[in-house]
Amino acid sequence: MRPLVSGPLKVVFLVLASLCAWYSGYLLAELIPDAPLSSAAYSIHSIGERPVLKAPVPKRQKCDHWTPCPSDTYAYRLLSGGGINKYAKICFEDDLLMGEKLGNVARGINIAIVNYVTGNVTATQHFDMYEGDNSGPMIKFIQSAPPKSLLFMVTYDDGSTRLNNDAKNAIEELGSKEIRNMKFRSSWVFLAAKGFELPSEIQREKINHSDTKNNRYSGWPAEIQIEGCIPKEPS
């Protein structure tokens, strides 16, 4: 018959067992990284579930186009004014040439001239067509554009009241089909080329007339825009 373990030996055995259990727990705590119980529970719950695929954030394109222009083209976007707080904008190759942020857009016809060969802006100017005689200065500004220039034109507020026939002729010579249809506060945008021809598929002009029944804003038609990609000159 085996002798029974005496009382003191039992105490020593229990103490050693407790120390071993404590040390084992300490080692596990050091080896396993910290993680909240909720994360562990979620991980267990998500086992077997289909992974959720997140679509990548769309890359912003030049002048806020939906799709990128080819590398051998210029991106452009023309936006007319619309309502008293909706200023006109001219964007070229992702550079704002005229707009409220630059403080260089105003009532009337706003024009930017760009060197077609280099893509550099040559000049910008706005011409009030509601007050003053600004048709003459606008004609001179248009005529000052050197050959192989791009001309971008957008209206804000009224661009027709003081627009005389000579000014209409000057714009018509650049290829405008709508300049003689301009009315009070018509929204109008126009892209022209001087000294060369643009491809026929390029969107060049758009107009929207003020109509008391259909105006988006009180007394103002909705803003309009055109955008596209202009082929660069072959090098």
Side-chain angles (χ1 to χ4, degrees):
M1 184 175 181
R2 298 180 63 183
L4 297 174
V5 181
S6 61
L9 288 177
K10 287 184 177 181
V11 172
V12 172
F13 177 77
L14 290 173
V15 170
L16 290 174
S18 298
L19 289 173
C20 288
W22 174 84
Y23 187 67
S24 298
Y26 171 77
L27 286 177
L28 287 173
E30 289 296 320
L31 293 173
I32 299 175
D34 293 337
L37 290 176
S38 59
S39 297
Y42 174 78
S43 299
I44 295 172
H45 176 72
S46 61
I47 294 176
E49 291 184 357
R50 293 183 179 178
V52 178
L53 300 178
K54 293 184 178 180
V57 178
K59 182 181 178 181
R60 183 187 173 278
Q61 305 300 334
K62 291 180 179 179
C63 295
D64 294 322
H65 284 200
W66 282 106
T67 56
C69 283
S71 59
D72 59 348
T73 64
Y74 295 122
Y76 73 94
R77 181 170 180 256
L78 309 182
L79 178 69
S80 74
I84 194 168
N85 296 317
K86 300 285 186 178
Y87 286 84
K89 293 179 182 179
I90 297 176
C91 178
F92 180 78
E93 278 295 272
D94 215 27
D95 289 329
L96 183 65
L97 305 187
M98 302 191 76
E100 182 183 10
K101 290 183 178 180
L102 299 179
N104 62 349
V105 67
R107 180 177 64 188
I109 298 177
N110 299 266
I111 306 176
I113 302 174
V114 171
N115 185 307
Y116 172 63
V117 178
T118 65
N120 296 326
V121 60
T122 302
T124 62
Q125 189 60 266
H126 55 82
F127 301 92
D128 191 344
M129 288 297 152
Y130 185 73
E131 292 181 339
D133 184 10
N134 295 304
S135 286
M138 187 179 72
I139 295 172
K140 291 181 180 179
F141 182 76
I142 292 173
Q143 292 174 343
S144 72
K148 290 200 172 181
S149 290
L150 293 166
L151 291 90
F152 302 96
M153 306 185 189
V154 294
T155 56
Y156 169 67
D157 197 340
D158 179 44
S160 66
T161 299
R162 303 299 297 270
L163 183 68
N164 66 26
N165 193 58
D166 289 339
K168 292 177 182 178
N169 287 337
I171 296 175
E172 197 171 46
E173 288 174 1
L174 292 173
S176 173
K177 306 297 184 185
E178 299 288 355
I179 191 63
R180 295 194 179 277
N181 298 325
M182 286 267 284
K183 301 176 182 178
F184 179 69
R185 281 185 176 167
S186 291
S187 295
W188 176 70
V189 292
F190 177 53
L191 161 63
K194 186 175 180 180
F196 67 102
E197 293 292 329
L198 289 171
S200 58
E201 66 271 15
I202 293 287
Q203 190 176 17
R204 299 183 57 182
E205 190 172 23
K206 198 171 183 179
I207 195 168
N208 186 27
H209 300 299
S210 179
D211 184 337
T212 55
K213 294 182 179 180
N214 299 317
N215 281 341
R216 175 177 296 178
Y217 313 101
S218 178
W220 303 70
E223 60 272 35
I224 55 173
Q225 71 174 24
I226 60 174
E227 62 180 42
C229 310
I230 303 170
K232 296 179 181 178
E233 184 178 53
S235 57

